[in-house]
Amino acid sequence: MGLSDGELARAAGSGDVDALGTLLLRHEAGMRAVALSLLGHGSDVEDAVQDAAVVALRRIGDLRDPEAVGAWLRMIVRNACRTRLRSAWQPRPLDDLVLAAADDESPERLLERHAMRDWIWRAIEELSPPLRMTVMLRHFSSRVTSYEQIAAVCGVPIGTVRSRLSQARAKLAEALATTASEAHADAAALAAASRKDALETLAAAEQGEFRRLLTERWAPDVTFFAGRQPVGGRELLIRGMESDLEAGVHQRFVDGFTSRDTTIWEMDLINPVDDPEHCPPAVTWVMSLEDGRVSQLRLFHVQAA
């Protein structure tokens, strides 16, 4: 007789990829039925089920009742479908698709969750740069998540975004299995360093030191891209930042996430009171790194509803 749902869920929460795979296979029909009931027939059904699988991978350690894992998986699919049916300009981050962890977690529980997070980021690092950037935008960004938005940032057709996500999910599962026993970098430390870098970058710009900071920290031949088309270099970036500041537009760091060669910062744009529509309300910086220095920058402006 096979293991029960509760036994598999507890094993998966401890990092057993095979156990999670068994759970997803066992409940796949029910998850797909939920998606079909909300979305009807179409490619979004499979996408919602696959997105739910990624959420389960990231958050299985947060499950409070292992015996109710089937209902939990169906809830994730249901919320993923509802997110798709909402306005596309302000999607919810995938972390919000499941119940938040309890505030009274023990140190041991927090350590387990951090270990799972680091393990997932280690697996993401095994993806190729195009797949890694697509996955990071789709599953970690709160503002650039739709296929249309990701396609615009990466400068590829929507079909390529779908293909990359499909490839990434398969490779991610394989990478998780092969890196399960390895030591993993501290994802929280990397995120903290990236946040510090973002805040220092904005502070330097406000103090008229943006050129100095770019010279010190970014690649000399950094390129600014619009989709796949290069449109300028360091001087264009400096002029753009200085022009915004002269117009009274300021940026406020909201969130960020990073891998070894991709860093994404999400910013609010604060317009002057006498020109409240000078810029869109938000911008996402998508940066490619070489030897730890920014070599490419793509900006995605989130438009108002």
Side-chain angles (χ1 to χ4, degrees), residues 19-34:
L20 180 57
T22 299
L23 278 172
L24 292 172
L25 183 61
R26 181 179 292 180
H27 293 280
E28 182 179 13
M31 294 167 69
R32 182 167 285 103
V34 170

Side-chain angles (χ1 to χ4, degrees), residues 59 61-62 101 105 108-118:
R59 303 301 298 270
D62 295 341
E105 287 182 306
E108 294 81 6
R109 186 78 181 99
L110 287 171
L111 181 61
E112 289 175 3
R113 293 181 64 232
H114 292 170
M116 177 69 80
R117 175 202 59 208
D118 294 341

Side-chain angles (χ1 to χ4, degrees), residues 11-91:
S14 298
D16 188 332
V17 177
D18 289 337
L20 180 57
T22 299
L23 278 172
L24 292 172
L25 183 61
R26 181 179 292 180
H27 293 280
E28 182 179 13
M31 294 167 69
R32 182 167 285 103
V34 170
L36 280 168
S37 69
L38 292 171
L39 300 176
H41 291 278
S43 59
D44 280 352
V45 168
E46 187 62 27
D47 290 340
V49 173
Q50 290 178 345
D51 284 348
V54 175
V55 173
L57 169 66
R58 294 178 57 199
R59 303 301 298 270
I60 187 68
D62 295 341
L63 182 59
R64 298 173 182 177
D65 182 4
E67 302 298 334
V69 66
W72 181 73
L73 290 170
R74 291 189 294 275
M75 178 197 70
I76 296 174
V77 175
R78 186 176 300 109
N79 287 334
C81 292
R82 288 171 177 166
T83 297
R84 288 173 178 275
L85 296 173
R86 287 193 188 93
S87 171
W89 81 276
Q90 192 177 14

Side-chain angles (χ1 to χ4, degrees), residues 50 54 127 131 135 163-177:
Q50 290 178 345
V54 175
L127 300 174
L131 297 186
V135 165
S163 175
R164 285 182 180 179
L165 286 172
S166 178
Q167 294 177 55
R169 287 168 183 133
K171 291 182 180 295
L172 189 57
E174 179 181 349
L176 282 164

